[in-house]
Amino acid sequence: MSSTYLIAVGSNRRHHQYGDPRTVVHAAMEECAALGTVIARSRIIRSAPMGAAVRRFANAACMIESEYDPPALLMGLKRMEREFGRRSGRRWGDRVLDLDIVLWSEGAYASRELIIPHPEFRKRSFVLRPAVQIAPAWRDPVSGLFVRHLAARLK
């Protein structure tokens, strides 16, 4: 059975092959096709750094249909981050690529490694601004609000 996922994509470090963060985000959205069918891509936006990060981010969102269950998709996304050169280290630091599962068409999911919906997405304009471009009518299973309503609350 196929499920749909909303994936947040971010970068704020150059990549030796792809170049600047904006190009890294674009390449990562293309690479998501290895995990399923990419059915929508947002525009890429710029956002301020958070936490220990010092460089501005390029952020976007994509929707994919995939046969993978949430843990398997997470493993695929983490492998992709590593392939793009992400190294483990300081939380919230600068990174070549960050991929997060934000929403899942089957509703909520929770394990030690993964919580869907992403626990912080409702507060993050760098996730909601791209998400509203491609999934405005996706309902958050926790709050019951549509993505467009969550985005409007941040303005």
Side-chain angles (χ1 to χ4, degrees):
M1 180 175 111
S2 181
S3 295
T4 304
Y5 295 89
L6 180 68
I7 309 296
V9 185
S11 173
N12 76 338
R13 293 191 64 192
R14 291 187 63 79
H15 184 273
H16 67 280
Q17 178 181 350
Y18 298 112
D20 67 22
R22 183 179 186 81
T23 310
V24 170
V25 167
H26 179 76
M29 286 194 288
E30 294 296 318
E31 287 296 316
C32 281
L35 301 170
T37 302
V38 178
I39 56 175
R41 293 174 189 83
S42 74
R43 291 184 308 274
I44 299 170
I45 64 165
R46 288 180 46 89
S47 60
M50 286 182 61
V54 295
R55 298 177 181 103
R56 291 185 61 80
F57 275 85
N59 292 99
C62 66
M63 274 197 308
I64 66 170
E65 283 184 356
S66 179
E67 298 293 324
Y68 290 119
D69 65 6
L73 184 67
L74 179 65
M75 280 182 28
L77 294 173
K78 294 304 170 193
R79 182 178 61 247
M80 191 183 309
E81 287 178 345
R82 288 189 305 275
E83 289 169 356
F84 270 71
R86 181 162 178 183
R87 301 290 174 250
S88 59
R90 199 168 40 164
R91 186 177 167 106
W92 302 103
D94 294 318
R95 70 239 4 227
V96 173
L97 182 61
D98 188 31
L99 298 166
D100 290 315
I101 300 172
V102 177
L103 292 166
W104 176 43
S105 60
E106 307 307 311
Y109 177 89
S111 70
R112 266 192 9 248
E113 297 81 26
L114 176 63
I115 298 172
I116 306 172
H118 190 287
E120 299 297 316
F121 93 99
R122 294 167 203 89
K123 302 180 223 172
R124 294 179 173 173
S125 65
F126 63 87
V127 173
L128 289 170
R129 284 177 44 215
V132 77
Q133 294 174 26
I134 60 173
W138 197 325
R139 190 182 295 270
D140 171 14
V142 173
S143 70
L145 297 173
F146 292 110
V147 166
R148 70 175 170 266
H149 296 142
L150 293 167
R153 286 178 155 203
L154 293 180
K155 292 182 179 176

